[in-house]
Amino acid sequence: MRDSLQQARVLLRPQMRLFYLLGCVLALLAACGSPSQSSSSNSSTGSTATCDKSTGLTLYSAQGYDSDAAKAFQKQTGIAVKLVDDSTGNLLAKISAERNNPRWDVVWFDGNVTMQTLDDQNYLLKWTSPSASNYTALGTQNTPSDHAYYPTGVTAAGAIVYNKKHIPAAGLPKDWSDLTKPAFKNLLAENDPAYSGPAYPFIAGIAQSMKGEDQAKQFFQQLKSNGDKIFQTNDPTLNSVETGAREFAIIQDSAYYAAVKAGQPLGIIYPTSGVAALPSEIAVSAQSRHQACAKQFVNWVLSAQGQSVMTHHDPTDGDTYFIDIINGVTPVVTRQTDGINMITLDVPKWAGVETELKQWFHDNIVQ
């Protein structure tokens, strides 16, 4: 779950090349020999083949707790796991480059919009995990109908963070529209969706809650006119509030909880009109040669046993602060879970316009 940890949908190093490579990666996923539709369809809960434990599976992941999970799964089951840990963008580039000879069996990163793109291009296996019965209502809401990928936890793509020691005379906003008022001029910072993974789902959530792209574009233009400052990712955006350069920041909420754990005197506001849910997602390759092992890993991640490993991850890592969506899980870290109006995105819709909306944001808000 990388943002400052480089969690953008098409985040490729070096950073100054990222925006231009966005179109290239999406084009590769869309047009360059994606797997056939027939290879992606499998409605069974298991594979006819058995899992060769010594061969195991290859996991492509951008999650902070992926190493903990891989080691625990291997220890508990005896199934070997080869972990390739990288940014989401780099993993997408690898998946595209390997389209004719995929080397991955399972992929795991933040963002259902991004995962939907892989699904649309037939990279993912459609199958029913028996562990899906473990979901809470929030987990079920964020599971696609074709079961090509499964949520493993949820955070808010964007919430308003402030420094408790620098509350401005204007007071605290209650909803997104408050940030456009003159009293909040030159007080806000947010992330650039060309670099920040959670930024685009946040934009999509604004558009969905405001009933349209045009309304969302007007909102962001109003923010710009009111002095909104754009930083690349969560870290510099949050730092602007910590240092007092800005009074409010729109960031992924898990980054806030990690900063508070580190001792920062911050507060958080979940706007009343809603915040976009940002699920972490896991999926099996439609062309995996080790589907039986891959499915076992996904089933384990969606169990209370697998989730326990994730919740016991490093409390200074923002990835640990997800809202659990599996019944029977007891969180170790503390975060707000109640009183949040969580918006479940219309994923196919926003996946279809992502490139256009990001380009518009760059041309009209960042520039």
Side-chain angles (χ1 to χ4, degrees):
M1 193 155 61
R2 292 183 176 81
D3 175 316
S4 56
L5 299 176
Q6 301 175 335
Q7 141 192 45
R9 178 180 180 185
V10 287
L11 187 56
L12 303 175
R13 296 186 180 94
Q15 281 196 332
M16 291 308 294
R17 297 171 55 202
L18 298 183
F19 184 79
Y20 303 99
L21 287 173
L22 167 61
C24 298
V25 173
L26 293 179
L28 284 171
L29 289 173
C32 297
S34 60
S36 66
Q37 177 66 41
S38 60
S39 68
S40 66
S41 298
N42 185 337
S43 60
S44 65
T45 58
S47 172
T48 55
T50 57
C51 173
D52 182 337
K53 292 186 176 183
S54 61
T55 302
L57 65 119
T58 297
L59 169 64
Y60 282 11
S61 177
Q63 301 292 0
Y65 38 67
D66 51 25
S67 179
D68 294 352
K71 291 176 182 177
F73 174 77
Q74 183 166 324
K75 182 177 180 181
Q76 292 174 21
T77 66
I79 299 172
V81 179
K82 178 183 178 182
L83 172 63
V84 178
D85 177 272
D86 209 334
S87 69
T88 302
N90 283 352
L91 294 177
L92 288 175
K94 285 175 67 65
I95 288 171
S96 178
E98 297 169 4
R99 61 192 174 275
N100 294 325
N101 185 29
R103 300 175 184 176
W104 62 282
D105 300 296
V106 177
V107 65
W108 195 7
F109 54 71
D110 268 10
N112 46 5
V113 173
T114 305
M115 197 67 87
Q116 183 62 45
T117 297
L118 292 179
D119 185 17
D120 290 343
Q121 301 306 321
N122 304 321
Y123 280 90
L124 307 182
L125 182 71
K126 296 172 175 61
W127 66 292
T128 302
S129 168
S131 293
S133 62
N134 296 331
Y135 278 134
T136 63
L138 182 60
T140 300
Q141 290 169 14
N142 283 277
T143 303
S145 59
D146 67 356
H147 294 165
Y149 52 91
Y150 291 91
T152 65
V154 172
T155 60
I160 303 171
V161 172
Y162 63 96
N163 192 322
K164 291 180 178 179
K165 294 184 177 180
H166 298 128
I167 297 177
L172 299 177
K174 295 182 179 179
D175 208 351
W176 299 115
S177 59
D178 292 337
L179 297 172
T180 66
K181 296 176 180 178
F184 293 95
K185 189 174 182 62
N186 298 323
L187 300 183
L188 179 67
E190 64 174 307
N191 298 352
D192 184 344
Y195 295 89
S196 168
Y200 177 71
F202 159 67
I203 294 170
I206 290 291
Q208 187 163 309
S209 67
M210 293 185 176
K211 311 302 181 185
E213 292 180 46
D214 291 342
Q215 293 89 328
K217 289 176 180 179
Q218 182 180 20
F219 169 73
F220 286 108
Q221 287 172 326
Q222 290 173 334
L223 289 183
K224 181 178 181 179
S225 298
N226 212 31
D228 186 16
K229 174 73 173 177
I230 307 297
F231 293 97
Q232 288 185 357
T233 60
N234 279 334
D235 276 358
T237 302
L238 185 58
N239 182 256
S240 71
V241 172
E242 292 171 348
T243 61
R246 291 274 149 164
E247 302 295 346
F248 302 101
I250 300 172
I251 61 168
Q252 184 180 9
D253 69 344
S254 54
Y256 156 78
Y257 291 106
V260 170
K261 180 66 176 179
Q264 292 294 335
L266 302 175
I268 192 168
I269 300 165
Y270 290 99
T272 54
S273 61
V275 295
L278 181 67
S280 50
E281 302 286 1
I282 195 166
V284 175
S285 168
Q287 294 185 312
S288 168
R289 293 185 291 271
H290 313 107
Q291 287 184 7
C293 294
K295 289 178 178 180
Q296 285 194 46
F297 181 76
V298 173
N299 290 336
W300 179 85
V301 168
L302 299 180
S303 71
Q305 192 174 25
Q307 293 279 309
S308 177
V309 174
M310 295 156 57
T311 59
H312 282 78
H313 181 58
D314 181 3
T316 64
D317 184 346
D319 284 9
T320 311
Y321 293 87
F322 60 90
I323 298 174
D324 58 275
I325 55 175
I326 300 297
N327 286 309
V329 176
T330 302
V332 176
V333 296
T334 301
R335 61 151 294 146
Q336 182 176 340
T337 57
D338 297 326
I340 303 174
N341 180 11
M342 197 73 79
I343 298 171
T344 300
L345 293 177
D346 181 343
V347 178
K349 175 180 179 178
W350 300 116
V353 298
E354 180 173 5
T355 301
E356 178 270 323
L357 268 181
K358 282 185 174 180
Q359 185 68 53
W360 178 88
F361 196 93
H362 174 78
D363 294 343
N364 295 275
I365 306 301
V366 178
Q367 297 286 68

